[in-house]
Amino acid sequence: MTSRRKFLKTAGMGVAAAPLAAPALAQSTIKWRMQTYAGAALAEHVVKPAIDTFNKIAGDRMQIELYYADQLVPTGELFRAMQRGTIDAVQSDDDSMASPTEVTVFGGYFPFASRYSLDVPVLFNQYGLNEIWAEEYAKVGVKHISAGSWDPCHFATKDPINSLADLKGKRVFTFPTAGRFLSQFGVVPVTLPWEDIEVAVQTGELDGIAWSGITEDYTVGWADVTNYFLTNNISGAWIGHFFANMGRYEELPEDLKLLLATCMEQSHYYRQWWYWGGEANLRVDGTKMQLTSIPDNEWDQVESAAHKFWDEIAAESPTKAKVVEIFKKYNADMAKAGRPYRYG
């Protein structure tokens, strides 16, 4: 932390993992610093292509320097750093960056809120979540630019998980809300810096990870240190976002705001097919982890517990109640719509 704070005070650019390369810039070039929740290997897919595209199109008018997980500040301090203007923009879920809003608990993996990745953009663009997020973040000086879906949430573990009983006592790296929910099944949530996870599994500090789907397990190296992948998931898609300091965002010309939003939407689209295809391909052709499953009649207990958890969250505030009602209506609509929206 001392070195990070020294970096922020001096605004030096000589960090070990350098920001995106940029051409020689004019003095008038708008310069932003963005930090993502993702480590370098994952960022190559979840954000870097969009920022590379933005910088190429914007040219001398604006450049965004991209930093990876915990490079400038720990992920849990991302919101405060952005709010203060220490960094200009962030890619993260609400939960991981500890944003002080009424919607924070729904970021990342809110248990069983979605079944498929397309559920997330529909919830935001057609069921009203965009408006709620925009209002909540405006209250705290942050611009909510865009929401999108990532991968589903599965367990990757050293020992096989074939029943709920096998989860008891397992020390698992996961998101705050997911950990709060899973603790009732005996899971012990552990919080560590993202880059430390692989070593923590190797040393036995962690028994497993409930942070991603199988695509990320392979991409970031976790498939090399875990032996089993549980096919049951607690959410069909991670909910993540792009945010910016409100003052810095409002300073942008309208066409750069539009370019920013367009590149971020392209990022969401890229992840839709990269994850969707990757999850299936690695289940079928992946060689590093053995697939296990908890029987449906037993896993139904987890889904039932999730709906009780929704009601507990809804009781905490009117805004949370409004979001939960949207999730309930959406899932009821999908069940009524039937195949392919919902099965069974």
Side-chain angles (χ1 to χ4, degrees):
M1 282 307 300
T2 300
S3 62
R4 288 193 187 102
R5 291 191 175 109
K6 183 178 179 182
F7 174 90
L8 294 174
K9 288 179 181 178
T10 60
M13 299 312 299
V15 292
L20 298 177
L25 303 177
Q27 284 190 333
S28 60
T29 302
I30 299 168
K31 299 174 186 177
W32 272 22
R33 291 188 294 179
M34 171 186 284
Q35 183 171 313
T36 175
Y37 74 96
L42 183 59
E44 285 290 331
H45 292 280
V46 301
V47 65
K48 189 175 181 291
I51 301 307
D52 284 345
T53 299
F54 179 90
N55 288 341
K56 186 174 182 179
I57 296 172
D60 269 2
R61 295 188 65 202
M62 182 173 174
Q63 290 288 297
I64 299 173
E65 296 165 350
L66 179 63
Y67 296 87
Y68 305 131
D70 304 313
Q71 250 192 307
L72 299 183
V73 297
T75 298
E77 296 179 19
L78 276 176
F79 176 85
R80 295 299 184 188
M82 174 174 51
Q83 187 183 45
R84 290 191 304 264
T86 305
I87 54 180
D88 304 294
V90 164
Q91 182 198 44
S92 179
D93 67 290
D94 321 71
D95 207 19
S96 296
M97 70 176 190
S99 61
T101 73
E102 290 295 314
V103 295
T104 296
V105 71
F106 303 109
Y109 292 118
F110 191 63
F112 293 93
S114 65
R115 186 159 297 184
Y116 307 119
S117 56
L118 275 175
D119 291 340
V120 175
V122 174
L123 280 161
F124 275 83
N125 293 307
Q126 296 185 355
Y127 277 71
L129 293 191
N130 263 335
E131 291 76 14
I132 296 173
W133 258 250
E135 182 179 348
E136 286 300 308
Y137 278 95
K139 293 176 184 176
V140 290
V142 167
K143 172 66 177 178
H144 176 254
I145 300 174
S146 185
S149 60
W150 272 248
D151 49 341
C153 184
H154 293 261
F155 283 87
T157 55
K158 291 195 292 186
D159 297 324
I161 304 296
N162 295 300
S163 69
L164 290 181
D166 291 337
L167 293 174
K168 291 181 180 177
K170 292 292 189 292
R171 294 159 298 176
V172 174
F173 172 65
T174 189
F175 293 87
T177 298
R180 175 180 165 186
F181 170 69
L182 290 170
S183 62
Q184 65 187 289
F185 301 102
V187 171
V188 180
V190 178
T191 301
L192 292 170
W194 191 91
E195 293 287 359
D196 294 346
I197 303 310
E198 185 172 344
V199 173
V201 175
Q202 290 175 302
T203 61
E205 186 177 355
L206 289 174
D207 299 305
I209 303 158
W211 204 84
S212 69
I214 199 168
T215 305
E216 286 192 17
D217 291 333
Y218 273 75
T219 301
V220 307
W222 293 339
D224 297 324
V225 296
T226 55
N227 302 314
Y228 298 93
F229 179 84
L230 182 65
T231 60
N232 311 75
N233 68 61
I234 67 163
S235 180
W238 191 74
I239 300 176
H241 313 266
F242 288 98
F243 304 94
N245 173 277
M246 185 68 80
R248 292 289 278 156
Y249 178 82
E250 291 300 338
E251 290 170 359
L252 295 180
E254 291 303 314
D255 63 331
L256 286 181
K257 291 179 182 176
L258 179 60
L259 178 60
L260 197 63
T262 300
C263 290
M264 290 173 179
E265 285 299 321
Q266 178 63 23
S267 176
H268 297 323
Y269 171 69
Y270 178 104
R271 286 190 312 276
Q272 283 279 349
W273 60 259
W274 182 67
Y275 278 123
W276 186 259
E279 296 297 300
N281 176 62
L282 290 171
R283 286 191 185 199
V284 174
D285 296 321
T287 59
K288 295 181 179 180
M289 292 191 290
Q290 182 177 334
L291 304 184
T292 65
S293 298
I294 295 175
D296 288 345
N297 61 347
E298 194 173 353
W299 193 250
D300 286 345
Q301 299 174 42
V302 183
E303 188 159 1
S304 295
H307 293 147
K308 293 178 183 176
F309 183 75
W310 289 14
D311 291 335
E312 293 172 12
I313 297 299
E316 294 177 356
S317 77
T319 299
K320 290 177 181 177
K322 186 176 180 180
V323 174
V324 168
E325 282 306 308
I326 288 173
F327 282 137
K328 287 182 176 180
K329 174 172 173 46
Y330 177 76
N331 279 280
D333 287 350
M334 296 303 102
K336 291 176 183 176
R339 298 171 187 266
Y341 300 94
R342 292 292 184 268
Y343 291 83

